[in-house]
Amino acid sequence: GECGAKRAPWFSFQHIPSNRFTRSAELNTMASSTMAARGLTANNGVLSSRMQKPSALRARAMPARRGALALSRTTKCVMSPDKKQTEVERGEWSPSSWTKYEAKQQPKWPKEEQLHAVLEEIERYPPLVFAGEARNLKEKLAQVSMGKGFVLQGGDCAESFAEFKADNIRDTFRVILQMSAVLMYGSGTPVVKIGRMAGQFAKPRSADTEIIDGVELPSYRGDNINCDKFTSAARIPDPTRLIRAYNQSAATLNLLRGFSMGGYASLERVQKWNLNFVKDTEQGERFKELASQLDEAMLFLKACGVDESITRSTEFFTSHEALLLHYEQALTRLDSTTDTWYGCSAHLLWIGERTRQLDCAHIEYMRGIENPIGIKISDKCDPDELITLIDTINPTNTPGKIMIIVRMGAEKLRENLPGLIKAVEAAGKIVVWQCDPMHANTVKAKSGYKTRQFDRIRDELRAFFDVHDEMGTHAGGVHLEMTGQDVTECVGGEVEVKDSDLHERYHTHCDPRLNASQALELAFLIASRLRKSRTSTKVA
């Protein structure tokens, strides 16, 4: 592909780039079942630039080629939370067509001219990810939707400028590697690894302002918008922070590429993945034992003549909530190999519970890009609304396109998820079901800190697996807010973080995160449930 494009003024909203930075990349066929069970594909790191041939699955799932002028799609959205039919007429899509709709959770920028200049600058930057990588992820999610894999998605609640350090990125990546090793070896299930990294800055807020000691100021919306310090100057949205967020995302991706492909993620180093503060915990000991068993398995594979190079790299994808639509538009690119549009700020983008309204801007933007899309839903989402959301974003029912991220709390999940699954199955929709056990379990501790109880997180995960086992469907993934740092933000777990401990290492800029030991504890739990589900399927 080439760099460079003819650019229209940003707020004319007629911006359709004519010649974007693209990459010719297609997908490999899946590895053999033995290697796939360990998440390994020969020399096929998602963050590499190697050209790949399309697989049979991709050939079936690929939509028809269509250029900018062929993006005319009229969609009628039926929305019936009160059993009344409502239609949303949608016309031709472009990267800026979302501006015709109400955009929720957007900051109130004080200087539009400055915002215009920043967006035009970002528009000239290279994409952070490439279309072929997003297609690769879509194929892997298609496999998960068929019950042939599991999605492990995790990372910071909100990335920050202050915590941007190579060691922090490495440690979070390392915990995800540990968890994936536990899941793969413990259950024999391929794992798709996705980080809430390299772009997860912006956060939706329940109110535009907050009041502390009688002083009312704009809410903190993430480091790419304003500062968390409670002062008038700090809370003013600053567009130049978008450029800093882009540069931090690019640097994070560069480091992740090195870790993924440069030998750090090699299974031969599995014994070295244990973080120092985890080594002496029960979860650290369990991982050490698993790593020893994995070393023995690696020796067996070598003795069988298996190519060692396939164990020395891994595939790792990035994701974030596509909240700031101006930023997402600035990084939207037309892929020359398929004539389709991609959001090139991350491999997977998701829509949050507060922005998934059918008649609003986020749905309009998401329906036009070919990336895999996550949709977060709570118990407020009814079956008809969910089906309409799926139809709007994925009218061709392409496998791997939609991931439904359920966030309800254990009790409400047991009550509401069966009806949603039944509706999706009856409509023949192909989706990945993923559990977010974090967001419905946030409470305020007696000490005043916002926290999450590990037992409640665990209970929601168990409920998620129980419901899918009862429905005969596949529990396809987990979505966690977690860190590789030794934080004390979530209470409970075998490390026994107490309310009185929260103040010791409470570093989050937004919501509380699991530390490495707590995350590993969940990984062992999930591995046992996946193994149980696989065994039950074989018996059936």
Side-chain angles (χ1 to χ4, degrees):
E2 300 178 2
C3 285
K6 186 180 295 184
R7 292 176 296 278
W10 257 89
F11 280 75
S12 68
F13 300 127
Q14 301 299 318
H15 175 70
I16 303 179
S18 59
N19 182 23
R20 309 307 284 154
F21 187 96
T22 56
R23 172 179 177 266
S24 175
E26 293 298 340
L27 308 175
N28 275 339
T29 55
M30 297 299 288
S32 67
S33 57
T34 302
M35 291 296 100
R38 289 166 173 79
L40 306 173
T41 53
N43 299 319
N44 185 26
V46 68
L47 297 174
S48 71
S49 59
R50 176 170 295 186
M51 295 174 62
Q52 303 168 1
K53 296 181 180 179
S55 68
L57 177 62
R58 177 61 200 159
R60 291 196 302 272
M62 186 179 294
R65 293 174 63 86
R66 51 187 174 84
L69 297 178
L71 280 173
S72 178
R73 240 196 286 181
T74 301
T75 305
K76 290 186 177 181
C77 299
V78 181
M79 177 173 56
S80 57
D82 56 355
K83 304 306 177 183
K84 294 181 180 179
Q85 189 176 60
T86 302
E87 292 187 351
V88 178
E89 293 285 349
R90 299 186 187 274
E92 181 178 335
W93 186 92
S94 75
S96 64
S97 61
W98 64 268
T99 60
K100 301 173 185 176
Y101 301 82
E102 179 187 4
K104 296 180 179 294
Q105 295 290 334
Q106 304 302 293
K108 296 177 181 178
W109 304 102
K111 298 179 181 179
E112 286 193 357
E113 298 81 4
Q114 186 182 27
L115 176 62
H116 302 174
V118 165
L119 294 173
E120 288 182 350
E121 183 173 345
I122 293 173
E123 183 192 25
R124 292 191 293 267
Y125 291 168
L128 290 169
V129 302
F130 302 108
E133 297 172 346
R135 288 195 292 272
N136 193 1
L137 175 57
K138 188 186 289 185
E139 175 168 304
K140 293 189 176 299
L141 293 178
Q143 295 292 321
V144 175
S145 70
M146 300 173 192
K148 300 177 181 178
F150 189 82
V151 177
L152 172 60
Q153 187 173 3
D156 266 319
C157 168
E159 293 173 282
S160 72
F161 296 159
E163 294 294 318
F164 177 51
K165 301 173 185 176
D167 287 354
N168 290 346
I169 298 168
R170 177 203 62 200
D171 290 347
T172 297
F173 179 72
R174 181 157 55 174
V175 175
I176 292 174
L177 289 180
Q178 284 184 284
M179 296 176 72
S180 66
V182 170
L183 294 174
M184 290 186 293
Y185 192 76
S187 68
T189 302
V191 173
V192 181
K193 296 175 283 296
I194 306 176
R196 289 174 55 110
M197 305 173 74
Q200 178 54 22
F201 291 97
K203 295 296 293 183
R205 311 308 294 179
S206 56
D208 289 336
T209 62
E210 61 177 311
I211 301 174
I212 298 179
D213 296 331
V215 178
E216 184 174 10
L217 293 176
S219 296
Y220 169 64
R221 290 185 172 272
D223 273 10
N224 60 344
I225 298 171
N226 57 7
C227 182
D228 64 339
K229 293 180 181 178
F230 196 73
T231 66
S232 297
R235 292 300 177 90
I236 297 174
D238 179 1
T240 62
R241 286 175 166 265
L242 295 175
I243 294 176
R244 186 172 177 182
Y246 171 93
N247 290 330
Q248 181 169 320
S249 298
T252 299
L253 275 161
N254 185 55
L255 194 59
L256 291 171
R257 287 182 172 98
F259 287 148
S260 298
M261 303 303 297
Y264 186 87
S266 172
L267 288 177
E268 295 174 350
R269 300 186 75 259
V270 67
Q271 291 279 9
K272 299 179 180 180
W273 289 348
N274 235 346
L275 290 158
N276 290 333
F277 69 88
V278 176
K279 285 182 180 179
D280 296 331
T281 67
E282 181 175 344
Q283 305 312 318
E285 289 299 321
R286 292 177 71 182
F287 183 79
K288 184 178 179 180
E289 181 180 350
L290 181 144
S292 297
Q293 295 172 4
L294 188 54
D295 281 344
E296 294 295 323
M298 293 296 297
L299 289 173
F300 171 75
L301 290 174
K302 289 179 183 178
C304 292
V306 174
D307 184 0
E308 296 178 29
S309 65
I310 64 176
T311 69
R312 293 175 180 163
S313 63
T314 191
E315 292 179 310
F316 192 82
F317 303 89
T318 61
S319 66
H320 64 256
E321 180 176 359
L323 197 62
L324 292 185
L325 292 176
H326 285 120
Y327 179 80
E328 300 301 335
Q329 178 185 339
L331 287 170
T332 304
R333 303 290 189 263
L334 182 64
D335 175 39
S336 64
T337 65
T338 60
D339 279 341
T340 53
W341 294 94
Y342 283 83
C344 292
S345 62
H347 301 109
L348 179 144
L349 299 170
W350 77 80
I351 313 168
E353 169 72 10
R354 294 185 177 99
T355 55
R356 60 170 177 77
Q357 296 81 8
L358 289 161
D359 57 348
C360 289
H362 289 82
I363 296 296
E364 172 62 19
Y365 174 76
M366 292 295 207
R367 79 178 179 93
I369 58 175
E370 293 298 326
N371 304 60
I373 301 296
I375 305 173
K376 284 204 174 187
I377 61 170
S378 70
D379 58 295
K380 298 175 184 177
C381 184
D382 69 29
D384 290 337
E385 183 184 7
L386 180 57
I387 296 302
T388 306
L389 281 167
I390 294 170
D391 281 339
T392 302
I393 298 174
N394 187 26
T396 57
N397 204 23
T398 302
K401 173 70 176 181
I402 299 292
M403 183 158 64
I404 306 299
I405 309 169
V406 182
R407 41 152 295 182
M408 297 183 183
E411 295 82 6
K412 290 182 179 179
L413 186 147
R414 290 184 185 276
E415 179 182 347
N416 292 280
L417 184 57
L420 296 172
I421 294 175
K422 184 177 180 180
V424 170
E425 291 288 298
K429 303 303 176 184
I430 303 172
V431 304
V432 173
W433 292 99
Q434 188 187 50
C435 178
D436 170 1
M438 308 296 293
H439 283 88
N441 294 306
T442 305
V443 297
K444 190 172 184 178
K446 293 179 181 179
S447 59
Y449 287 92
K450 184 160 56 171
T451 189
R452 288 160 172 158
Q453 297 176 350
F454 182 87
D455 289 350
R456 299 293 296 166
I457 294 170
R458 180 196 59 203
D459 290 347
E460 185 165 354
L461 270 172
R462 285 175 172 168
F464 180 72
F465 277 96
D466 287 346
V467 168
H468 280 286
D469 286 347
E470 293 165 5
M471 300 292 292
T473 49
H474 181 55
V478 64
H479 187 122
L480 301 173
E481 291 185 346
M482 49 171 278
T483 178
Q485 300 176 58
D486 185 16
V487 299
T488 53
E489 297 172 1
C490 293
V491 296
E494 292 180 356
V495 292
E496 294 187 279
V497 176
K498 300 180 179 65
D499 189 340
S500 58
D501 300 324
L502 292 175
H503 72 282
E504 293 181 2
R505 293 180 299 280
Y506 196 96
H507 302 316
T508 182
H509 279 236
C510 196
D511 290 335
R513 304 160 295 177
L514 297 167
N515 62 33
S517 181
Q518 292 167 328
L520 271 178
E521 187 174 343
L522 286 182
F524 281 108
L525 168 67
I526 295 168
S528 67
R529 291 304 302 257
L530 287 172
R531 184 166 57 248
K532 176 183 176 182
S533 297
R534 187 189 61 174
T535 303
S536 299
T537 302
K538 284 184 177 181
V539 171

